[in-house]
């Protein structure tokens, strides 16, 4: 029997709360943390659970703009700091699963290499 390619529901929930998955799921973890859509998944994981709590502000009586403004005052800094700490968090998760934390910078390095190669090709240095 081959190793599972995806975590079970229980493993996935544990993973969302910071638990480490078994070594057999390292490929899935790598794709989750540095694959296509990793940044969007990260932001969804940090922002969606806060929305029901922020929705409680809608129970405050008065014009609708007041609770919306209060929600924005909390939500905007949350998103800002989540984005600012994204690389740190993803590096930590990679390291806790026994993967190379430098995988986070892999896409940026490929892009920089492509730009350098293009520059050298256009300017006769390649």
């Amino acid at each position: 029997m081959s190793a599972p390619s995806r975590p079970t529901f229980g493993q996935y929930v544990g993973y969302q709360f910071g638990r480490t998955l078994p070594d057999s799921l390292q490929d899935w973890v790598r794709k989750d943390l540095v694959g296509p859509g990793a940044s969007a998944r990260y932001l969804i994981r940090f922002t969606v659970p806060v929305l029901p709590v922020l929705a409680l502000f809608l129970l405050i009586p008065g014009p609708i703009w007041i609770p919306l403004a209060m929600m924005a005052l909390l939500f905007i800094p949350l998103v800002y700091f989540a984005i600012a700490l994204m690389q740190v968090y993803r590096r930590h998760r990679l390291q806790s699963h026994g993967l190379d934390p430098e995988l986070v910078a892999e896409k940026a390095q490929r892009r920089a290499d492509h730009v350098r190669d293009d520059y050298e090709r256009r300017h006769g240095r390649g």
Side-chain angles (χ1 to χ4, degrees), residues 1-8 11 22-29:
M1 184 173 174
S2 65
S5 60
R6 295 182 53 87
T8 64
Q11 289 173 324
D23 290 344
S24 62
L25 293 169
Q26 280 192 342
D27 286 340
W28 184 87
V29 171

Side-chain angles (χ1 to χ4, degrees), residues 3-7 15 21-36 41 94 97-99 103:
S5 60
R6 295 182 53 87
Y15 175 76
L21 292 176
D23 290 344
S24 62
L25 293 169
Q26 280 192 342
D27 286 340
W28 184 87
V29 171
R30 183 178 192 273
K31 288 177 187 171
D32 181 60
L33 294 173
V34 297
R41 282 190 300 275
L94 285 167
H97 281 87
L99 297 167
L103 290 172

Side-chain angles (χ1 to χ4, degrees), residues 49-84:
V50 175
L51 293 178
V53 175
L54 292 179
L56 294 174
F57 282 107
L58 295 173
L59 299 174
I60 295 174
I64 190 68
W65 67 269
I66 293 175
L68 291 177
M70 293 168 69
M71 292 166 62
L73 283 172
L74 294 172
F75 190 72
I76 292 170
L78 171 76
V79 172
Y80 176 81
F81 284 108
I83 291 170

Side-chain angles (χ1 to χ4, degrees), residues 83-99:
I83 291 170
L85 296 171
M86 184 181 334
Q87 303 296 54
V88 173
Y89 175 79
R90 289 167 55 195
R91 284 178 191 271
H92 166 72
R93 294 294 299 202
L94 285 167
Q95 190 171 22
S96 69
H97 281 87
L99 297 167

